[in-house]
Amino acid sequence: MGEKKRIFSGIQPTNTPHLGNYFGAMANWVKLQEEYDCTYSIVDLHSITVRQDPVKLRAQIKESYALLIAMGLDPEKSTLFVQGHNPNHAELSWILSCYTQFGELSRMTQFKDKSQKHPDNINAGLFTYPVLMAADILLYQADLVPVGQDQMQHLELARNIVQRFNGVYGDVFTMPEGYITKSTAKIMSLQEPTKKMSKSDENPNASVWVLDDRDTIIRKFKRAVTDSETEVCAREGKDGIVNLMSIYSAATDKSFEEIEAEFSGRGYGDFKLAVGEAVADKLAPMQEEFRRISSDKAYLEDCMKKGAEKAFRTTRKTLQKVQKKLGFVVL
């Protein structure tokens, strides 16, 4: 049997993940570790393109790490580490920035979007952020990168860098491919179902966080925006109901047809309550495991250290290969 293909993916430690993060990405990570050689990172370096509260950020890095283990990621099967604990990321990022064109970076739509959101802090890190993302991927010689539509442009840039670098120095980096996860439909805001559920939404009822308690989850679903009809079915113009059906499907593995049959002749009140209870039931074991892991600070620190050492060893080989190709003196 051949070697497993390598996967790299990262998550920013800004705010607790919401249902969209969980069903759209994190739950899939757990399944992927059975089939692939997986590396998952808490990308703290990426988070500081926007000003962060140091105390809050430190707590969220630890929370994110504990959450990934609680969700089912096995530090023995996968490489699970904090990006800032591996200096090879920053070092390769600088090298790759010398092989990335200014014009390429200026075309990145996320740079334009974030510049509009934070006009008082349009920093160089925000501009070169995609190069660091390329370094994250290429350091691990990743074959596959789980990506949503909003990250495809960044992956294309990484592929351009590989083509350019390998074209000059030979076969140095693996060409990464996008891995489109077979997940649920996008999870939308409970208050504005035409918009994606977002970490930055200021409406407390718009997002369900994976650490919300049972009563809070059920209350948020009861307040979810729907429409003036009463039929639970998926059709145009019923964005709120389709979103709730997507969430219920993700929590129960039921198809839309099964959901429509289950709630035939029943009102939205019954359906909203059922969705809230299904989500709370789905998250309960993970929340209990999260509390256990978070309280064991020695275990968490040990996992972080081992993950960082493993990531460093893996990536040092790639970085030294790059340094030699460039003509650096490698000790």
Side-chain angles (χ1 to χ4, degrees):
M1 200 171 141
E3 276 188 26
K4 288 181 175 180
K5 285 197 169 183
R6 290 181 295 272
I7 277 184
F8 177 90
S9 198
I11 186 166
Q12 286 202 33
T14 49
N15 291 335
T16 301
H18 55 58
L19 285 187
N21 304 133
Y22 178 66
F23 287 130
M26 298 162 100
N28 284 305
W29 286 8
V30 177
K31 296 171 191 166
L32 292 174
Q33 72 181 351
E34 303 304 324
E35 297 174 56
Y36 298 96
D37 177 2
C38 294
T39 298
Y40 297 122
S41 181
I42 309 297
V43 289
D44 52 344
L45 299 180
H46 284 294
S47 69
I48 62 167
T49 57
V50 177
R51 294 281 175 269
Q52 302 290 339
D53 174 334
V55 175
K56 191 179 174 197
L57 180 61
R58 193 173 294 116
Q60 284 176 331
I61 290 167
K62 292 175 183 174
E63 178 190 276
S64 301
Y65 197 95
L67 262 175
L68 290 179
I69 299 174
M71 285 175 183
L73 285 184
D74 184 345
E76 298 296 320
K77 281 184 186 172
S78 301
T79 302
L80 180 58
F81 75 106
V82 176
Q83 181 191 32
H85 292 166
N86 183 0
N88 296 334
H89 286 252
E91 197 166 341
L92 184 62
S93 180
W94 165 249
I95 292 170
L96 295 184
S97 69
C98 299
Y99 290 82
T100 307
Q101 299 304 301
F102 187 89
E104 288 176 310
L105 291 177
S106 58
R107 287 193 290 275
M108 295 289 124
T109 53
Q110 279 206 349
F111 172 69
K112 293 170 188 169
D113 294 344
K114 288 195 175 181
S115 298
Q116 287 174 345
K117 280 184 188 170
H118 304 278
D120 55 337
N121 184 24
I122 304 173
N123 57 72
L126 194 60
F127 188 68
T128 59
Y129 167 101
V131 183
L132 178 57
M133 190 180 282
D136 296 338
I137 296 163
L138 304 186
L139 269 172
Y140 297 87
Q141 303 289 2
D143 299 292
L144 299 166
V145 184
V147 281
Q149 205 52 47
D150 58 341
Q151 295 292 353
M152 281 304 291
Q153 199 183 24
H154 290 165
L155 180 61
E156 278 308 312
L157 179 73
R159 288 170 58 83
N160 290 346
I161 293 170
V162 171
Q163 204 166 16
R164 188 173 295 134
F165 200 92
N166 285 3
V168 177
Y169 300 105
D171 191 16
V172 179
F173 295 119
T174 300
M175 181 66 80
E177 303 278 346
Y179 180 93
I180 309 300
T181 50
K182 301 178 189 72
S183 67
T184 63
K186 280 189 293 196
I187 306 297
M188 313 304 272
S189 160
L190 296 187
Q191 294 300 307
E192 293 181 81
T194 55
K195 290 183 179 175
K196 271 172 70 174
M197 193 173 281
S198 168
K199 284 185 177 184
S200 56
D201 200 313
E202 289 175 11
N203 186 334
N205 293 311
S207 304
V208 174
W209 310 104
V210 296
L211 293 177
D212 278 346
D213 62 50
R214 188 178 189 85
D215 290 346
T216 301
I217 291 169
I218 290 170
R219 186 178 71 248
K220 285 181 179 180
F221 277 107
K222 281 182 177 175
R223 292 176 180 172
V225 169
T226 50
D227 54 61
S228 57
E229 299 176 3
T230 56
E231 191 183 359
V232 176
C233 66
R235 65 166 181 259
E236 207 172 322
K238 294 177 76 72
D239 298 318
I241 287 297
V242 170
N243 186 37
L244 293 180
M245 289 175 73
S246 294
I247 294 168
Y248 191 63
S249 172
T252 62
D253 290 326
K254 291 179 181 177
S255 68
F256 273 26
E257 290 76 15
E258 288 171 317
I259 295 166
E260 286 175 3
E262 184 182 349
F263 292 94
S264 176
R266 295 163 68 183
Y268 286 173
D270 274 3
F271 181 49
K272 286 180 180 182
L273 178 62
V275 179
E277 287 179 337
V279 168
D281 289 345
K282 180 82 172 175
L283 295 178
M286 182 271 295
Q287 290 178 345
E288 192 177 329
E289 183 66 359
F290 170 77
R291 286 189 288 271
R292 187 189 69 76
I293 293 165
S294 296
S295 64
D296 191 345
K297 291 186 173 60
Y299 169 73
L300 200 57
E301 202 168 290
D302 185 57
C303 284
M304 278 188 176
K305 279 182 179 170
K306 285 178 178 169
E309 286 163 7
K310 194 172 167 187
F312 184 83
R313 280 195 310 272
T314 302
T315 55
R316 202 70 196 160
K317 293 173 193 167
T318 299
L319 185 60
Q320 288 187 333
K321 187 177 181 180
V322 169
Q323 289 168 331
K324 283 174 184 171
K325 291 285 186 184
L326 292 173
F328 293 172
V329 176
V330 178
L331 298 174

